[in-house]
Amino acid sequence: MRRAGIRDVADLAGVSISSVSNALNRPDAVSEQLRTRVRAAADQLGYVPLRAAQQLRAGRSGLIGMTVISIGNPFFAEMLEGAEEATSAAGYQVMLGNSDDSAQRESSYLELFELAHVEGVIVSPFGDVAPALKRLRAQQIPVTLVDGIDEQGLTPSVSLDNVQGGRMAVRHLVEIGRRRLAFVGAREEVRQTRDRLRGAASFAEEAGVPLDVTIGLRTTPRLGSEIGARIAGMPAHERPDAVFAANDMLACGIVHGLLTAGLRVPDDVAVVGYDDIPFASIAAVPLTSVRQPARAMGRRAGEMLVSLLRGEGEQPPATEVFAAELVVRASTVG
Amino acid sequence: MRRAGIRDVADLAGVSISSVSNALNRPDAVSEQLRTRVRAAADQLGYVPLRAAQQLRAGRSGLIGMTVISIGNPFFAEMLEGAEEATSAAGYQVMLGNSDDSAQRESSYLELFELAHVEGVIVSPFGDVAPALKRLRAQQIPVTLVDGIDEQGLTPSVSLDNVQGGRMAVRHLVEIGRRRLAFVGAREEVRQTRDRLRGAASFAEEAGVPLDVTIGLRTTPRLGSEIGARIAGMPAHERPDAVFAANDMLACGIVHGLLTAGLRVPDDVAVVGYDDIPFASIAAVPLTSVRQPARAMGRRAGEMLVSLLRGEGEQPPATEVFAAELVVRASTVG
């Protein structure tokens, strides 16, 4: 079935094309009777004078594609909301591809966005997106990165210093007197995980404190809870006295698992998370967390993309690095 | 800049088009030298033999558009994941439009999806989507609804009986002896809010128990926390002894606000939430919640859409209604 056009509406309503156009676009300028007649015909045919379709004919879809690692993590939902704020202010709408911890899904979205007529792309990278960035550049589709950087320096990016964030978390645990630390993290393919671990390990080494490492996990509260139960089940002399979890989804679960098994947080085990998602402050024990300004980062990546779309991008491409901030709550300082 | 085609790659590599095709699609069938040469040319031009582009030429984008009310609520993230599971099993990828409590944004996404060449659409409706459904029908783009129904019965849907869910929550509070109830809910434009309130109000009336109603809210933990503090600030004889919050984001926040103000949950105020998001069970006080099987609902809506795309849709359109289930935890029964 061919899409109904304005001519079809005019034919069915028995009026001229310009009458249809006036009735739909400047309803106050026509009679109530004409308006009703044209609307009835348009409804019958399923015709809508798409603002979007008009934009597309003018070479503008108004669409921006965005991928994030896992939308189930409220951190990424906030980042998306920030990107939406910045781009909708400039007349764009974001369509999201949820990479869901899969490099294959991620690269597939980055192909599909082209077909979907997006004008620009925001990538919060999971895997190696260099080939996709190269292809998008070749198609002259502007891209910005958020929570990631382009090693080649060709793509504007907004990131956070996760090495510093990792150091910050472990320094805090050492400062409050903890001496047997554990790091619990997501997939090691994820650069953020590796950087947080690197920072954590470097500070632990400098302080001469052992750091037990568990990575490669899906980051869900449920899995965190299982890990908390496992830690609680260890003999007291082997058990870590502090856990640094590489995101709050895991950390909230770990606290729950520890409490459920009868341990005290932070007395027996202190817990630090990462991201400072909205639930961190209202968790079973309010969570100490390395705060990332997710919304501000998403907003900045959106603003940078809008600049590129307006032909106002900077050379060399801007790279903004946000600083991590430790928010101390009851999960470490009771 | 025109998109580089296979002919451009062949010209640059100085080989035939079929050599390019072989080198890229059946690399084992050609010499290492040809492979290297073709890949270098393809890289230089930013040419990639898009599986997706091939699909599109064959009239298939492989794309499905989906809107949800607010992706910041983990309930909708789980629903999306369910829809992704069902549709990716059939070779599709979902692109998400986050309506974010805006009927205008929602209807705009439902227009934009058409331009983005989606083959099908899953809508978790916020506003009145009837005009959009009509238009999509006219374009022969299959649609399923999730967490919503089509009053006209023309669109397959997966929903949950929210009136029953609302009754269930209030019945539980009355059964544990509560006599001054409060309902706290999201925007009243949202059918789900109205249905939950209707169920809650009908049971409260039958039981002869007063129900104080506050609706029209953005559903964030922070706002919930403010409401909890406000309730805690009321004189004891006016204060509700139980709160039914129309989603867990609010309910978790309310519990936190009550605790922070020094009240006991459930002793002073019992709290019931709705959705049973992953954080509900690990909240400050594990939350009693009316469980919605978000993932299963999303999966079912995805399966129904795949059936429609295969021309296997049912007549009349299937409408599946899931039952709500009360999960009792410490926020009501200490």
Side-chain angles (χ1 to χ4, degrees), chain B residues 77-308:
Chain B
E78 285 205 288
M79 182 187 281
L80 170 67
E81 286 167 12
E84 284 172 343
E85 281 169 26
T87 54
S88 72
Y92 293 91
Q93 271 188 269
V94 176
M95 283 202 299
L96 180 78
N98 179 28
S99 304
D100 204 23
D101 284 5
S102 157
Q104 189 268 320
R105 284 174 58 88
E106 176 178 71
S107 79
S108 190
Y109 276 121
L110 295 174
E111 282 188 15
L112 291 166
F113 284 154
E114 292 180 52
L115 305 182
H117 294 303
V118 302
E119 292 185 56
V121 174
I122 301 172
V123 184
S124 184
F126 173 80
D128 175 16
V129 294
L133 296 185
K134 183 169 183 181
R135 202 180 60 241
L136 290 163
R137 257 197 314 278
Q139 308 300 331
Q140 301 198 302
I141 296 174
V143 183
T144 59
L145 294 173
V146 57
D147 196 27
I149 58 163
D150 178 5
E151 308 281 359
Q152 296 177 70
L154 299 170
T155 312
S157 68
V158 177
S159 60
L160 182 130
D161 187 340
N162 284 300
V163 177
Q164 178 217 13
R167 285 185 64 85
M168 202 174 258
V170 169
R171 179 190 297 125
H172 173 63
L173 292 172
V174 169
E175 280 174 2
I176 61 170
R178 303 299 161 137
R179 291 298 175 263
R180 289 193 305 280
L181 309 187
F183 176 90
V184 178
R187 303 287 176 89
E188 62 182 310
E189 302 95 296
V190 185
R191 192 170 169 280
Q192 291 87 324
T193 301
R194 292 196 308 268
D195 285 353
R196 288 167 204 175
L197 174 56
R198 191 144 55 92
S202 73
F203 193 90
E205 195 184 332
E206 286 165 35
V209 170
L211 180 75
D212 183 61
V213 176
T214 306
I215 54 173
L217 306 170
R218 290 282 295 180
T219 57
T220 64
R222 181 185 305 256
L223 186 55
S225 189
E226 289 170 22
I227 292 169
R230 199 185 312 155
I231 290 171
M234 295 168 74
H237 66 280
E238 289 178 14
R239 196 162 56 212
D241 58 8
V243 177
F244 168 34
N247 81 31
D248 287 348
M249 305 273 281
L250 279 172
C252 286
I254 290 170
V255 168
H256 177 255
L258 290 167
L259 296 178
T260 303
L263 264 65
R264 293 161 303 163
V265 175
D267 307 55
D268 297 313
V269 184
V271 179
V272 178
Y274 208 103
D275 293 342
D276 197 25
I277 61 174
F279 288 97
S281 62
I282 64 169
V285 178
L287 193 68
T288 294
S289 186
V290 179
R291 178 159 203 276
Q292 298 202 78
R295 190 176 299 269
M297 290 166 71
R299 195 182 298 123
R300 198 67 200 93
E303 288 167 357
M304 283 178 176
L305 186 64
V306 169
S307 293
L308 291 175

Side-chain angles (χ1 to χ4, degrees), chain A residues 1 93-94 108-109 114 138, chain B residues 1 3 93-94 96 108-109 138:
Chain A
M1 186 196 257
Q93 271 188 269
V94 175
S108 188
Y109 277 120
E114 292 180 51
Chain B
M1 185 197 256
R3 175 183 213 124
Q93 271 188 269
V94 176
L96 180 78
S108 190
Y109 276 121

